[in-house]
Amino acid sequence: QAKPEEEAVYQRLAEIRNKVLDKTIISNAIVQWGMYKSFLSSPEACLSTAEKRLKELSAKEDKSLEINQLELLTQSLKKLELKNTSRFQLLLRELANLNWDGKPNSPRILIFTESRLTQDALSAALAKHFKIKFSHKAEDQSNQVICTTHGGMADTQLAETVEAFGTGSSKVRMMVATDVASEGVNLHHQCHNIIHYDLPWSII
């Protein structure tokens, strides 16, 4: 169940979408749907998308209405962080059901997300909640309880992290991964639990 702060963002997104559909705002509908999809990943991802769009439009006088709507949207997004969302609380409950607390006897868990910004916010929020030491540096990923993998990592660092995740004696107990981990990478050797954090959504 979405919190009031989340509902406020959904309402802002719906208003922008409706203004695009009725041509009150002349804009690329794909951009607007993309913003909606980014919020279904995390507030941080959506805020980044909205701020980039604002920057693009800042010098265009004919986009003033869209700028106004985006400014209202960013104001709502700045009141919300991933760690305070209902979905993150649901994830914590699911991890509790799986007896995951980051300790050596925790089951290995793979969490997929699309956005790098969501990945950063999610891994940091989980580490803080479970009081686990965590670093975003690529070279640290294979030697910590929560690790991350993404397309920006060097092949050698990605391979080391994947190997650590599949090695029974390593300290890694959770991998937060983008789609790079779904492309021909075997992660099942020590892991039997997969969670898709982003809400599934398609423009189709």
Side-chain angles (χ1 to χ4, degrees):
Q1 189 67 35
K3 294 182 177 181
E5 297 87 350
E6 294 172 281
E7 291 288 5
V9 175
Y10 283 121
Q11 185 60 42
R12 292 292 183 198
L13 288 167
E15 288 173 4
I16 295 173
R17 182 188 65 212
N18 290 337
K19 289 181 185 300
V20 171
L21 291 174
D22 69 16
K23 302 192 184 313
T24 304
I25 291 176
I26 306 301
S27 179
N28 187 331
I30 300 296
V31 172
Q32 304 307 326
W33 286 119
M35 205 169 314
Y36 190 81
K37 184 176 183 180
S38 69
F39 186 59
L40 297 180
S41 182
S42 70
E44 287 83 351
C46 190
L47 179 60
S48 174
T49 303
E51 287 180 335
K52 285 177 184 176
R53 181 65 175 163
L54 265 173
K55 190 173 181 179
E56 290 173 8
L57 299 175
S58 60
K60 299 180 181 179
E61 294 181 7
D62 61 332
K63 299 287 186 179
S64 58
L65 181 56
E66 185 177 354
I67 287 175
N68 177 257
Q69 291 293 318
L70 287 171
E71 286 173 343
L72 293 172
L73 175 63
T74 57
Q75 289 171 17
S76 296
L77 286 165
K78 287 176 180 177
K79 297 174 184 176
L80 190 61
E81 295 179 85
L82 178 145
K83 64 182 181 181
N84 298 323
T85 61
S86 56
R87 188 149 33 106
F88 181 68
Q89 298 306 314
L90 178 62
L91 174 62
L92 294 179
R93 292 196 294 274
E94 188 63 29
L95 292 176
N97 290 337
L98 293 169
N99 296 314
W100 196 97
D101 56 10
K103 293 179 181 176
N105 61 343
S106 295
R108 290 240 167 92
I109 293 179
L110 171 62
I111 300 180
F112 275 115
T113 184
E114 289 190 23
S115 166
R116 282 284 306 277
L117 289 167
T118 301
Q119 181 188 50
D120 288 347
L122 180 58
S123 51
L126 287 166
K128 184 175 182 179
H129 177 82
F130 289 103
K131 298 179 173 61
I132 294 169
K133 185 177 180 181
F134 174 76
S135 167
H136 286 293
K137 294 179 180 178
E139 60 268 24
D140 296 333
Q141 298 308 307
S142 61
N143 194 36
Q144 53 189 19
V145 175
I146 298 174
C147 69
T148 60
T149 57
H150 53 79
M153 295 174 71
D155 290 345
T156 53
Q157 291 170 336
L158 181 60
E160 287 174 6
T161 304
V162 169
E163 182 178 357
F165 188 66
T167 302
S169 58
S170 80
K171 66 167 60 175
V172 177
R173 284 294 174 272
M174 177 184 289
M175 179 184 287
V176 183
T178 62
D179 288 346
V180 70
S182 67
E183 298 170 359
V185 180
N186 293 325
L187 300 169
H188 62 278
H189 302 295
Q190 296 288 326
C191 176
H192 308 288
N193 301 285
I194 299 177
I195 296 172
H196 291 271
Y197 188 76
D198 290 28
L199 291 179
W201 184 91
S202 169
I203 195 169
I204 298 172

